[in-house]
Amino acid sequence: MDHFHERFGELHAEDVPLTAIAEAVGTPVYVYAEATIVRHFRVFRQALEAAGIDRPLVAYAVKANPNLSVLAALAREGAGADVVSEGELHRALAAGVPPGRILFSGVGKTQAEMAAALQAGILQINVESEEELAELSQVATALGRRAPVALRVNPDVDARTNPKIATGRGEAKFGIPRDRILAAWAQAEALPSLAPTGLAVHVGSQLTDLAPFAAAIRVMGELLAALRSAGHAVRRVDLGGGLGIPYDPSLPAPPTPADYARLVAQATAGWGVELAFEPGRLVVGNAGVLLSRVVRVKRGATRTFVVLDAAMNDLIRPTLYGVFHHIRAVRPRPGVVNATFVGPVCETGDTFAEDRATTPLEPGDLVALMTAGAYGATMASTYNSRPLVPEVLVRGDRWALVRPRLTPAELAAHERLAPWLAEAP
Ligand SMILES: *Cc1c(COP(=O)(O)O)cnc(C)c1O
């Protein structure tokens, strides 16, 4: 469900025609529908509550889309934040997420990041190794603070998703192996300035099957029981994110938040802990499109290329993961043709869709790459010295440019010449 629909023959974001945004801001540009962001967040939280989960903490995974306006819209809904860097921590706080709803994940937190998290007074640091426990203890002691800690478990579960975003298998870099959790908890209790409070798990992203979630929750239940029988108090279990969303309208839809919530409620019944969740893609994925203009329609040796002004540096998912994004004409013409959608960057990998059935397109036409709200703008780069792609947020019939396009001069102004090259040769 999203708020991008055709009205009077033209694709709109909520009540705003995409052509109006393209004319005012230029293309390529990301456009987000605030109504969809808010709706998905509410649907997820309400599904958990309806299934009987008492006051779940829904900590939005900032990495999916860290735009400040997106974060502010979610903060107003009472969202927490799952952050993985000092930069994301800074953004979450700046957007108004209370520190008491912020979780910090990641295998490579630096001591500076640990200190920033402790100074901000966040809810919980999800620790991913015994080595990190020892370091966090030192940092917290030096600051005179107690660090609230959850141990991130590596459950050795196959998420059955794209291997690049499967994080729960035994050989993955994430978490502490399940058979070392009991010892790690005892270590955390023995170290100064650490307050072990919970467990965390995250098996991967874009899961389209509930079985890996069920397997991970089973592991967490076993660990919870083992920790308690060893006399440890476990107050919070963080089940991570990962629920998949529909990208390809021709494929069966993934499980719904209600399906997921029922599974979680059943599998965690009687645990007596606060449950936390870290959805990212589910909240913002369908809330964004990458709006792009057709530069040229080129007849190649064997096929027709639609060359867009968006490229792999603006949306890298097709290149990086080989995944599908539905492409819609903003003002569709009658008929169907086949085309390969590419960007202008000098790499063959700069391809959005191969031999895709589409309505006929001409130079100057606008297209929307759908379901680009998650892992889109946030993974953008300036490769080929293309300006970082701008972002627009829509609410109803209003819209705002929430990240302006930098000019080539502004991009270059960030750099400086080495002093010996600034002098005359
Ligand atoms: C990426 C990530 C998430 C969010 O995953 P989605 O698939 O976007 O829901 C949650 N938790 C952790 C630890 C992550 O790394």
Side-chain angles (χ1 to χ4, degrees):
M1 158 76 201
D2 63 46
H3 295 80
F4 297 94
H5 41 240
E6 211 176 295
R7 205 185 274 174
F8 316 116
E10 180 173 344
L11 198 57
H12 285 58
E14 303 194 31
D15 300 326
V16 179
L18 289 176
T19 39
I21 294 172
E23 269 155 32
V25 181
T27 50
V29 56
Y30 277 94
V31 181
Y32 308 130
E34 188 176 334
T36 311
I37 298 172
V38 168
R39 181 179 187 280
H40 284 169
F41 180 79
R42 288 184 187 163
V43 162
F44 186 75
R45 191 176 51 196
Q46 285 163 6
L48 296 170
E49 287 166 351
I53 294 166
D54 188 31
R55 272 164 296 169
L57 170 65
V58 183
Y60 165 68
V62 172
K63 75 176 192 278
N65 186 328
N67 183 280
L68 276 179
S69 293
V70 170
L71 296 180
L74 287 166
R76 287 178 175 214
E77 289 294 308
D82 170 46
V83 304
V84 295
S85 70
E86 190 174 354
E88 287 190 357
L89 175 63
H90 173 84
R91 281 172 178 273
L93 293 168
V97 180
R101 291 199 196 123
I102 297 181
L103 315 169
F104 201 133
S105 308
V107 291
K109 296 175 207 82
T110 63
Q111 294 194 0
E113 287 177 320
M114 293 174 186
L118 292 171
Q119 266 151 350
I122 69 167
L123 180 68
Q124 171 178 304
I125 299 179
N126 292 353
V127 170
E128 306 223 8
S129 63
E130 291 91 341
E131 295 83 354
E132 187 187 338
L133 275 179
E135 256 182 85
L136 180 59
S137 166
Q138 285 169 13
V139 174
T141 303
L143 289 172
R145 300 210 176 222
R146 268 178 94 67
V149 161
L151 300 181
R152 176 164 173 184
V153 178
N154 182 320
D156 196 13
V157 162
D158 184 356
R160 299 189 215 163
T161 181
N162 189 303
K164 286 186 180 153
I165 51 175
T167 54
R169 289 204 307 256
E171 67 265 32
K173 67 178 175 178
F174 299 99
I176 298 172
R178 56 203 258 195
D179 58 356
R180 300 203 321 238
I181 290 293
L182 225 67
W185 193 288
Q187 180 196 353
E189 279 191 343
L191 282 166
S193 312
L194 297 188
T197 52
L199 294 174
V201 72
H202 171 73
V203 289
S205 198
Q206 186 55 17
L207 274 68
T208 52
D209 175 359
L210 290 180
F213 289 116
I217 295 171
R218 211 172 305 121
V219 171
M220 300 301 270
E222 288 163 15
L223 290 172
L224 184 64
L227 285 166
R228 283 184 171 159
S229 60
H232 302 302
V234 184
R235 292 206 304 275
R236 188 178 302 114
V237 176
D238 173 356
L239 294 177
L243 194 56
I245 60 171
Y247 281 94
D248 184 344
S250 72
L251 292 180
T256 65
D259 298 331
Y260 172 78
R262 269 191 299 274
L263 164 82
V264 171
Q266 259 174 21
T268 64
W271 280 15
V273 296
E274 181 192 352
L275 289 178
F277 301 86
E278 303 168 344
R281 187 189 308 273
L282 180 84
V283 177
V284 290
N286 277 324
V289 302
L290 174 57
L291 183 60
S292 175
R293 207 178 275 285
V294 176
V295 177
R296 191 157 295 121
V297 178
K298 166 176 173 169
R299 264 193 315 280
T302 59
R303 49 190 182 169
T304 302
F305 295 101
V306 173
V307 185
L308 302 180
D309 64 2
M312 61 187 275
N313 70 296
D314 304 308
L315 175 65
I316 203 168
R317 297 188 69 259
T319 306
L320 187 59
Y321 307 125
V323 294
F324 179 99
H325 280 271
H326 188 39
I327 302 176
R328 291 176 69 173
V330 170
R331 281 183 178 153
R333 305 166 190 278
V336 181
V337 296
N338 245 34
T340 291
F341 289 83
V342 298
V345 159
C346 309
E347 304 222 8
T348 302
D350 185 24
T351 299
F352 291 114
E354 308 235 16
D355 291 321
R356 179 74 64 83
T358 171
T359 55
L361 288 162
E362 291 178 12
D365 284 358
L366 290 170
V367 298
L369 289 98
M370 307 302 293
T371 321
Y375 308 105
T378 180
M379 292 179 109
S381 76
T382 57
Y383 185 40
N384 276 210
S385 289
R386 292 164 51 81
L388 202 56
V389 59
E391 297 170 280
V392 161
L393 185 71
V394 173
R395 177 195 280 191
D397 61 3
R398 298 163 68 192
W399 63 269
L401 182 58
V402 292
R403 178 168 85 183
R405 192 188 310 276
L406 296 181
T407 63
E410 284 169 322
L411 268 182
H414 262 317
E415 298 174 22
R416 51 214 59 197
L417 276 180
W420 57 90
L421 294 173
E423 298 155 11

